[in-house]
Amino acid sequence: MLSLFSLTPEILLKAYMAGIFPMAESADDRKLFWVDPERRGILPLDGFHIPRRLARVMRQGRFEVRVDHDFADTLSACAEATEKRPNTWINGEIVRLYNALHKQGFAHSVECWSEDSLVGGLYGVSIGSAFFGESMFSRATDASKVALVHLVALMRLAGYRLLDMQFLTPHLSQFGAVEVSRAQYRRLLAEALRYRCVFPRGLGDGSGGVGAAGGGFGALQPSKVTS
């Protein structure tokens, strides 16, 4: 168990490179603990599936998708208690550390906006050619899913090799996420850390944002679309 303020962003980066990450028991807990799952959830970038209904949502362009436009609010939204998720593992120490990583250029957010309101998104850590997904949230139907589609598009654009989702869930399985053993994950991680990728600010529009939600879907073709 780690006491408050015992971690630095530099230690956290080394932990990710060693295959472990921190969590809190709850948002109210002041301490953190290291997690090293025996089975790790990953999302193979070349096996990404877009459900048919979500593909229609993407083509409709319901959201404006931005990268790193408001990382702090995205992180705070991921930490919020909701009816479906009354408590989270994101405490004040997590907020402090990942905001610091963002300022150093290692943590990034992909955000869905509607009429200048942040309605969904995700955040994670980028090291080498690996992206470690941390958490996501939705205040509008499908917003976090749209953000995930754009994350994969951005990673493929930049040549990333590993998308670590930490744990496999039914929600992630629909996109093609799978479980691998700890040993296999360590091999994939070591390979991904051999390469350096720069997390892109958008899908080629040069504006610092991704743009309409349909753009991420187009960038993923010919990814599999499933029912």
Side-chain angles (χ1 to χ4, degrees), residues 73-93:
D73 273 2
T74 301
L75 175 54
S76 294
C78 288
E80 288 177 353
T82 66
E83 183 176 335
K84 293 183 178 180
R85 186 179 60 181
N87 202 354
T88 76
W89 52 269
I90 301 173
N91 65 3
E93 178 72 338

Side-chain angles (χ1 to χ4, degrees), residues 20-57:
I20 60 178
F21 56 90
M23 294 183 72
E25 289 288 353
S26 70
D28 297 326
D29 194 338
R30 292 169 57 86
K31 296 182 180 180
L32 302 176
F33 60 91
W34 292 119
V35 183
D36 184 14
E38 291 186 10
R39 304 288 297 176
R40 195 73 163 240
I42 66 168
L43 209 170
L45 297 176
D46 58 357
F48 186 65
H49 304 292
I50 304 176
R52 290 188 183 277
R53 191 188 65 80
L54 182 59
R56 290 195 295 271
V57 172

Side-chain angles (χ1 to χ4, degrees), residues 3 12 53 55 73 97 110 130 133 155 159 163 183 196 198 201 217-218:
S3 60
L12 188 53
R53 191 188 65 80
D73 273 2
L97 285 165
V110 181
M155 291 180 64
L163 176 50
R196 182 178 182 272
V198 176
R201 297 296 305 277
F217 177 67

Side-chain angles (χ1 to χ4, degrees), residues 70-77 99 102 109:
D70 197 335
F71 180 89
D73 273 2
T74 301
L75 175 54
S76 294
N99 275 319
H102 174 64
S109 58

